[in-house]
Amino acid sequence: VDSALVQSYINRYRGTKSPYYTKFHFLMASLLEASKQYVAAIGYCDSAIAHAPKSEGAKECHNLRGSITDPVIQMATQCLEAYPGQPSLQRVTHRNVQHLYYRVVQYFPERGNKLRDQMRNATVLYSGEWNIEDAGGHQFASSYVALPPMKAGHYWLLVSPTADFRKQGFDVFETW
């Protein structure tokens, strides 16, 4: 799909109550999102939502906007066994995050669908926070963060953009 063609349809339906107006805004926002032009995509979504908030296109834009603006955290955890008792660097890929909180809890086997609640309430062995640099414009960035020295063992690493680990939830990574 060509963005110039989509823009011509947006112009054609501008000022009308046609549901196509917001659908074409969503299509344009999707094209921009796919090419990593996140700020422009949000602009098209905001326009569709303001034009007809209850339309199908506006609902799709609302979801797309959330997927662009919500915090994203991904980690590639390193094995701690190589250097027990030494700090370890962990790589975090992130978007829309400038501050992360972490908790390290002892590993325990999965026990049903309440595992995340068990992790949240487990005894915290180590905790802290990291300031990381955000790339801006809703772009992904990578940073290295340090975990404190730990004994050799098997752990769950819980990471959250909020200190309470509840408001925006948390991500779980396994390390040993």
Side-chain angles (χ1 to χ4, degrees):
V1 176
D2 180 14
S3 62
L5 177 64
V6 175
Q7 186 62 54
S8 72
Y9 283 116
I10 289 172
N11 293 339
R12 175 188 287 175
Y13 291 104
R14 187 179 315 277
T16 71
K17 296 207 184 267
S18 171
Y20 293 122
Y21 183 75
T22 58
K23 281 293 220 179
F24 285 122
H25 270 72
F26 170 69
L27 182 57
M28 180 63 93
S30 297
L31 291 171
L32 291 166
E33 189 263 346
S35 63
K36 300 182 179 167
Q37 297 178 51
Y38 302 116
V39 174
I42 289 171
Y44 276 92
C45 284
D46 289 347
S47 179
I49 293 166
H51 179 77
K54 295 184 180 183
S55 69
E56 192 64 32
K59 290 175 186 174
E60 291 172 323
C61 274
H62 179 76
N63 292 335
L64 179 61
R65 190 182 200 295
S67 73
I68 294 170
T69 60
D70 285 349
V72 176
I73 305 165
Q74 302 166 338
M75 289 191 83
T77 57
Q78 304 294 320
C79 178
L80 302 174
E81 288 182 345
Y83 303 101
Q86 299 292 317
S88 64
L89 286 179
Q90 309 293 320
R91 183 175 178 205
V92 59
T93 302
H94 52 89
R95 176 164 83 175
N96 304 322
V97 177
Q98 295 177 346
H99 202 81
L100 289 174
Y101 299 87
Y102 71 89
R103 294 178 184 169
V104 177
V105 300
Q106 191 66 45
Y107 174 85
F108 47 89
E110 206 170 311
R111 295 185 189 122
N113 58 2
K114 298 203 180 232
L115 179 63
R116 291 180 76 79
D117 287 336
Q118 291 173 349
M119 287 179 179
R120 185 183 290 119
N121 297 321
T123 301
V124 176
L125 304 173
Y126 307 95
S127 66
E129 54 189 275
W130 300 305
N131 289 316
I132 54 178
E133 192 169 322
D134 185 36
H138 307 287
Q139 299 292 327
F140 281 94
S142 289
S143 303
Y144 283 91
V145 295
L147 283 176
M150 295 190 279
K151 297 177 185 175
H154 203 161
Y155 303 98
W156 288 117
L157 173 61
L158 286 53
V159 180
S160 176
T162 58
D164 67 1
F165 283 71
R166 292 184 185 278
K167 187 184 287 182
Q168 292 183 340
F170 61 91
D171 292 295
V172 178
F173 306 95
E174 185 176 351
T175 188
W176 61 96

